[in-house]
Every structure is written in C-alpha cells, then in structure tokens.
Amino acid sequence: MNSSGKKTNYLNASHTLSSWFLTVDHKRIAILYLITISIFFFIGGLFAALIRLELLTPAGDLFKSDEYNKLFTLHGIVMIFFFLIPSVPAVLGNFLIPIMIGAKDLAFPRINLLSWYIYVIGATLATLAIMVGGVDTGWTFYTPYSTVYSNGAVALTIVGAFITGFSSILTGLNFLVTIHKMRAPGMTWFRLPLFVWAHYATSLIMVLATPVLASALFLLFLERVFHIGIFNPALGGDPVLFQHLFWFYSHPAVYIMILPSMGVMSELFAAFSRKRIFGYEFVACSSLAIAILGFFVWGHHMFVSGQSMYAGMVFSVLSFLVAIPSAVKAFNWSATLYKGSISYETPMLYAFGFIGLFTIGGLTGLFLSTMAVDVHVHDTYFVVAHFHYIMVGGVLMGYLGGLHYWWPKITGRLYPEAWAKLSALLVFVGFNLTFFPQFLLGYMGMPRRYHMYPEEFQVLNVCSSLGASVLGIGYFLPLVYFLWSLKFGKESPANPWGAKGLEWEIQSPPTTHNFDEIPVVTEEAYAYAKEDGKHHG
Amino acid sequence: MSHTVDSLKTYYLIFLALMVLTAVTVGAAFIDFGPLNISIAMAIAILKGCLVLWFFMHVRHGNPLLKIFAVAGFLWLVILVAFTLQDYVTRPWQDFEANQRWIKHQATHFEARAALPGNASHGSAH
Ligand SMILES: [Cu+2]
C-alpha cells in the first residue's frame, strides 16, 4: 500500500468485517454512520416522493386517507430522527472534531461505537414498526390521539425513537468531553475552528434536551400501554402538557440540526474566500447564544393549542430574539466575502445556497412567531414550507456542502467537479420549486396533512411535485458520482483546496491515529495570509 | 481530579438520611397541607437528589467544570418547569369575553366605514 509514498491509512489498515463492525476509530465510525444515514435518507425520500405523487391531483387517487397519514408520519419520523438529527454531527463531526483539535480520537472511542449500534437498533426498530404496523400520528405524536385513538404500532415506534435518543446523548457527551479535554497544546478556545464551536453548542443541546424527549415518550408509553393518566383528560391528564415536554426538546432539536450545518458554512466561507471569518468571536459565541436561547421559545409551536395567551406572548418575544444570533452569522459570512478571493467550487455553491434558503426560512420563522399571523397560517403549508427551508434548505445544504468539501479527505479521492456543480444547481432550483409554492398554498389556506385539496390549488401543487423530481435527481447524482469516485476518482493530495486547518495538514485519507505526533498549534483558525488569495484561481 | 475516598461511615449516614427523608415523604402524604402538598413533596425529593449527587456521585470532589455541568443540569430543569408553569399559572388570567368585546368594538369601525357613501357595495357584500 506504499506505492504512492503514502502511509497505510485508516481505510486500508485492515479489511475484515470485524475491523469495521468492532472499530473504535472515529473515522471508521463516521463511515458507518454515513452509510446507515444515507439509507434512511433514501427511505425517507421515497415516502416524500409518494406524498408528492399523490398531491399531483386534487383527488385522492393513489392512497386512502389513512394510508396517506401513515406516509407523512413515516417521512417525518425517518427524516427528522434518523437522518437530520445525526447527519452532520455523526458523520462530519465524528470524522473531523478529533482531527481539527489535534487529537488521535474522541475521548470515549468505545462509547462512540456504542452510540452507532444504539442508533441502528432504535432506527431500524422504529422504521420497521411504522412500515409493518403503520403509525398515523405524525412525527409529533400528539396526545391524546397517540395514546387513546391511534391504532398503529405507536408504542413500538416510540420505543425505537426513545432508544435512538440515547445515541444522540452519548454523541453529545463524547464531543463535549473531547472538546474540553483533548485539544492539542496551543489550541485555545478562540483558535478552534468554528465547526468545532458549532458542535460544542450542538452537544450541549443534545445532552440537555434529549432526556426530556425521552421522558415525554416514556410517559406517553405508560399512558398508551398501562392507561396511567398523564395526558388524557378522561384519565385526569392534560394533553397540552405533552406538547410542552415534546417541544422543549423538539424546538432545540431544530438547532441540533442547523447548528452543525452553520459550522460547516463557516469553514466553507473561510476556505473559498481565503479569509478569516469576519467577527470570528461573534460567530463562535452566536452558536452558544442560539443553543441557549433556543430553550426558551418552544411555546411558539403552541399558540393555538389552548396555551395561555400570556405565555404565548413571552414565547413570541423570545422567538424573535433568536433571530439576532442567526443574523449575526449570516451577516458575518457575507462580510467574510468582502474583498475575499472567492472561488466557486461545488462546496461554495452549496454555501451560497445555504445563505439564500436559510434567510427565507429564518424570516418566515418570524412570521410564524407573530401570534396573530400564526393563527392564520398554523397547520397550513406555510409552516411546512418554512421548516423545510430551515431543515432541508439549511441542514441538507450544509451536509452536502460539507460532504463535498471533505470528501477528498475522507476517501482520498476527488469527485467530478462538473457533475457536482450540476447537482448543486439542481438541488437549489429543485428545492425552491418544491417549497416556495407551498408558502403560497399555505397563505391561501391549504392545510397540511391532507391528501385531497380544492382544485384551485392544483397548479401550485404540480409546481411543487415537479420541483421534487428535480430535487430528487439533485440528491441522487451525488450518490452516483461519490460511489464512482471511490474507484475512478483522481487521487487527492493532502490539501486539494489550499485551505487552512489541521485536517488539511495530514495525508488524505488520514492514518488510523491521525497524527504521528500530537501537533503544537501556534496560530488561530483561518490564518490565511493576505497574499494567499492572489495565488488562487 | 483528586482521588479522595469518603469513609464508609459517610455513605451509611447519607443512606440513613435518604431513608428518613423517604419516611417523611410518606408521612407528609397523610397530612393535608392544601396547595402546599406538591411543593413539600418536591422539596424533599430535590433535597434527596442533591444528597445523591453531592455524596454518592462524588460531585463534591469534582473540579469546578464538573460542578458547572452538574448545576447546569438543574438549571435546565428549572427552565423546563418555570416556562411550563408560566402557561398553567396565567391561563386563569385570560378574559375571553373582554377579547370578544374588543373585537366587536373594532368591527363597528369597519361597519361605520362601510356605511359611508361610495362604500355601499362593500357594505352589502357582507
Ligand atoms: Cu420552534
């Protein structure tokens, strides 16, 4: 394996099955996550495709109402719990955090492997339970429908989601301890790449919020299976209590999804404009601000639930506040571009896409946190469009951008740039064509979660379904050319982008222990020299 | 982290304290304190939790960072309870009839405008 003068790397160090399934190497575990997460992404995507196919016409011609209910539930649960939540942290975070801080592995390598097994067991159990038993509660499991009336395999699905939560908690714990304790000499907090800062903030949410979801699901389980009155009014419970507990996790969970993608963005904007991120300290602290503020706003999901309007006012005002640190990030990335030496490789296209989509998603979030407007658009396609702009437009752009950016490091191969640019374009166009019409549909009053609709909504629905097909091609292309590049891609040098950061100073792919000797860090992240930009492009 | 070991005596004492507090909880359940029932039970439970954290889980020998994280866990529980309670506590404050009156009052403004000459068509449409 030394033909090209490279040392044995983590991929060809050994080839046995057990060397993969019992590995404690954070990079191999990242690959395991990459494969499993991709499978769940395409399962979730398949159900999205069926939903869009049904909505092509106003009549319910493909599915019956209850089948459609199961479809969107499956789409939601798989995409949120088994793809979006683990996506960036479990794949890119796992691979990069130890390397970026100059460590040989995470603090608890075995716990890292355990978290993958927990994820696989929980996710498989829940997905099978929904596919075989059918669950029609939506991904939110609202009570008392989920505890009393719904007929499907709700209990088993909840057990699956409950189990998966522990994978998230363990990953968060691992990252926190690693970032606190394993930084190389000289790697001070304000020399950390912003990717690491974002994951630190994310890990805090994972550790502090996920147990509350676990408790909420456990209580739901108790009520459904043992008829202990907690949420069901007939048994003396309060259904709104479930919403409080559920959203205490599930609003911050949006930041579990988006913060790591924001971390990717910071890396991309620095690397492709050859500049230090403008206002580095502010961007770093805004991650923490988003993580902490994000815990005080959950009631904005409950404006029409019977929650006290005074509580609604407090939640509304606090929700507006989250816009501030989010805007700090978006503005500082834009300011980073100023006088930068910008190049337009694929990851940067995703970064530009992120800014556009995240801005639309974020601003429509302000519409929704305005109580009076929310009453009008609550449970309509406006909400669906909004959270897809954040969660698909934001998170997936970050995930794909990051995957392209670090693909040469992860695999040691270059992907075909022209195809990648085409797919980035397809994703951006397809995404907007899919979800922008849904803002209009929602504003005109089309409710979510119905498979039939009045005829005047058809044109916009056809646009949306058309966009979904373009989007589907955009997502399918990377799968093809990434796999192709493994065999036919050009071998990547250590630093194909000419970027700064410890991960670019070691060979591609890295050796099993990343560094032969623990590096001593002497400069801040993004120490791009002034004249550096002139060499490029 | 230093490797201080507590004597067995400490553990037995804490165990005894936990048992006594359990007995107090059970005893308190037989006396009706009215609205304080829950508060008293919760206060005893929190005290017990703190004893477990501080002694059994060795937080008292931990470094400041560890203590910060332990306190953060509690703080987040406070956020959960406090912000949930702001809903339950303020629900009775709502005066839906006053809201209705306010809406009706605002509506008269529109009716008056509709009655103006030239706006007749709008008026009849509603
Ligand atoms: Cu929210």
Side-chain angles (χ1 to χ4, degrees):
Chain A
M1 292 292 167
N2 266 337
S3 56
S4 56
K6 280 183 183 175
K7 286 179 227 148
T8 309
N9 63 51
Y10 79 100
L11 287 172
N12 61 21
S14 55
H15 294 282
T16 58
L17 265 185
S18 66
S19 78
W20 278 95
F21 286 107
L22 297 175
T23 183
V24 288
D25 180 352
H26 65 103
K27 299 180 291 299
R28 284 197 166 198
I29 295 170
I31 301 284
L32 293 176
Y33 265 116
L34 175 63
I35 295 167
T36 35
I37 280 170
S38 303
I39 293 171
F40 281 103
F41 175 68
F42 282 98
I43 294 177
L46 178 72
F47 291 98
L50 292 175
I51 290 171
R52 284 317 321 168
L53 201 60
E54 165 63 59
L55 292 176
L56 209 50
T57 63
D61 19 36
L62 259 185
F63 303 104
K64 295 193 210 74
S65 306
D66 55 337
E67 291 166 343
Y68 185 78
N69 292 346
K70 288 170 190 170
L71 270 184
F72 69 69
T73 302
L74 195 69
H75 168 68
I77 291 176
V78 168
M79 283 302 204
I80 288 175
F81 290 120
F82 310 142
F83 174 70
L84 287 168
I85 298 260
S87 61
V88 179
V91 178
L92 298 173
N94 232 331
F95 194 96
L96 291 162
I97 287 174
I99 303 180
M100 281 181 165
I101 65 171
K104 295 192 172 184
D105 208 316
L106 286 172
F108 308 114
R110 285 196 183 83
I111 289 184
N112 196 18
L113 180 66
L114 177 68
S115 78
W116 180 71
Y117 276 103
I118 292 177
Y119 163 77
V120 172
I121 293 169
T124 312
L125 180 68
T127 309
L128 286 179
I130 316 170
M131 295 228 275
V132 177
V135 176
D136 57 359
T137 59
W139 78 280
T140 47
F141 300 115
Y142 270 10
T143 55
Y145 181 70
S146 58
T147 54
V148 183
Y149 305 103
S150 175
N151 284 320
V154 178
L156 210 55
T157 311
I158 279 169
V159 172
F162 178 87
I163 293 173
T164 315
F166 284 90
S167 157
S168 190
I169 294 172
L170 292 178
T171 302
L173 200 64
N174 219 339
F175 286 175
L176 284 179
V177 177
T178 306
I179 297 169
H180 268 288
K181 292 289 178 187
M182 312 263 293
R183 281 172 287 129
M187 181 57 93
T188 58
W189 282 92
F190 284 106
R191 279 180 183 168
L192 284 174
L194 289 166
F195 181 85
V196 178
W197 269 101
H199 276 78
Y200 184 83
T202 309
S203 305
L204 284 178
I205 307 176
M206 285 170 157
V207 170
L208 290 169
T210 318
V212 178
L213 176 76
S215 321
L217 293 180
F218 183 66
L219 293 173
L220 202 169
F221 185 87
L222 285 183
E223 180 166 294
R224 184 173 171 92
V225 179
F226 300 108
H227 308 290
I228 296 170
I230 297 157
F231 306 121
N232 180 4
L235 298 171
D238 176 10
V240 178
L241 179 63
F242 177 78
Q243 297 188 25
H244 277 299
L245 295 174
F246 181 82
W247 290 114
F248 182 86
Y249 167 78
S250 293
H251 181 81
V254 176
Y255 301 123
I256 296 181
M257 305 175 213
I258 194 79
L259 274 171
S261 268
M262 291 173 154
V264 172
M265 284 307 124
S266 296
E267 301 302 312
L268 297 185
F269 279 108
F272 293 98
S273 31
R274 319 257 136 207
K275 271 183 70 190
R276 181 180 193 264
I277 288 287
F278 181 84
Y280 166 99
E281 291 83 359
F282 281 88
V283 178
C285 294
S286 68
S287 288
L288 290 181
I290 290 175
I292 292 169
L293 271 177
F295 277 98
F296 295 87
V297 303
W298 78 79
H300 62 212
H301 296 269
M302 301 164 59
F303 288 153
V304 300
S305 69
Q307 170 185 251
S308 149
M309 67 178 188
Y310 297 104
M313 289 174 190
V314 172
F315 281 126
S316 171
V317 170
L318 290 169
S319 302
F320 282 121
L321 289 185
V322 185
I324 296 171
S326 310
V328 164
K329 282 182 187 288
F331 286 132
N332 281 14
W333 292 326
S334 312
T336 304
L337 297 170
Y338 180 65
K339 287 193 174 172
S341 170
I342 304 167
S343 57
Y344 297 94
E345 275 105 345
T346 311
M348 191 57 157
L349 297 185
Y350 278 107
F352 282 129
F354 178 98
I355 290 233
L357 303 184
F358 178 74
T359 304
I360 296 177
L363 290 178
T364 50
L366 293 179
F367 291 38
L368 291 169
S369 50
T370 311
M371 288 171 82
V373 180
D374 185 72
V375 172
H376 178 62
V377 292
H378 184 86
D379 258 345
T380 69
Y381 265 86
F382 192 90
V383 176
V384 176
H386 157 71
F387 72 71
H388 279 87
Y389 263 82
I390 295 288
M391 282 151 55
V392 189
V395 182
L396 252 157
M397 297 306 264
Y399 179 65
L400 283 175
L403 210 53
H404 282 86
Y405 179 56
W406 284 294
W407 187 256
K409 182 55 63 185
I410 295 171
T411 64
R413 300 289 181 152
L414 299 175
Y415 58 82
E417 185 68 30
W419 283 102
K421 278 185 174 154
L422 174 70
S423 93
L425 192 72
L426 287 179
V427 167
F428 186 77
V429 173
F431 178 85
N432 282 300
L433 190 55
T434 312
F435 292 105
F436 199 83
Q438 297 186 4
F439 278 125
L440 307 177
L441 284 168
Y443 196 76
M444 295 191 305
M446 177 165 167
R448 63 194 284 203
R449 296 180 167 172
Y450 286 89
H451 71 314
M452 288 186 283
Y453 53 84
E455 272 178 24
E456 65 257 35
F457 293 148
Q458 190 173 12
V459 176
L460 287 169
N461 268 298
V462 170
C463 288
S464 184
S465 294
L466 189 72
S469 345
V470 178
L471 193 57
I473 299 169
Y475 288 146
F476 194 68
L477 272 180
L479 181 74
V480 176
Y481 62 72
F482 275 152
L483 288 175
W484 177 90
S485 77
L486 290 180
K487 202 159 171 56
F488 305 105
K490 264 190 256 162
E491 282 201 27
S492 166
N495 190 356
W497 311 113
K500 292 280 175 184
L502 286 177
E503 79 268 30
W504 302 113
E505 287 172 18
I506 56 175
Q507 69 168 40
S508 310
T511 58
T512 301
H513 293 295
N514 305 339
F515 306 96
D516 294 334
E517 266 174 56
I518 294 297
V520 176
V521 181
T522 54
E523 55 181 21
E524 57 170 19
Y526 319 119
Y528 288 97
K530 285 252 153 55
E531 68 275 32
D532 231 27
K534 289 173 192 149
H535 295 300
H536 191 82
Chain B
M1 216 183 295
S2 60
H3 233 288
T4 328
V5 182
D6 292 310
S7 66
L8 270 180
K9 197 180 147 203
T10 316
Y11 288 124
Y12 282 125
L13 273 175
I14 299 301
F15 179 71
L16 193 71
L18 289 172
M19 286 300 119
V20 170
L21 285 170
T22 308
V24 174
T25 312
V26 176
F30 287 101
I31 309 166
D32 190 6
F33 295 100
L36 287 178
N37 276 337
I38 290 183
S39 309
I40 289 172
M42 290 308 267
I44 301 173
I46 290 171
L47 186 61
K48 285 162 75 181
C50 289
L51 284 176
V52 171
L53 273 170
W54 196 244
F55 292 96
F56 285 172
M57 297 177 78
H58 293 202
V59 170
R60 71 181 183 135
H61 300 311
N63 58 20
L65 182 65
L66 196 117
K67 284 177 186 157
I68 288 174
F69 270 85
V71 171
F74 262 104
L75 212 66
W76 254 256
L77 189 66
V78 172
I79 295 173
L80 171 66
V81 174
F83 272 69
T84 304
L85 278 182
Q86 68 156 343
D87 171 19
Y88 289 96
V89 171
T90 60
R91 271 189 213 177
W93 301 0
Q94 299 174 104
D95 185 348
F96 292 111
E97 279 170 20
N99 292 352
Q100 290 297 326
R101 281 198 300 277
W102 185 83
I103 290 167
K104 283 214 178 90
H105 176 75
Q106 297 298 312
T108 56
H109 167 77
F110 291 104
E111 278 166 20
R113 223 174 61 161
L116 287 174
N119 282 348
S121 61
H122 289 281
S124 62
H126 290 277

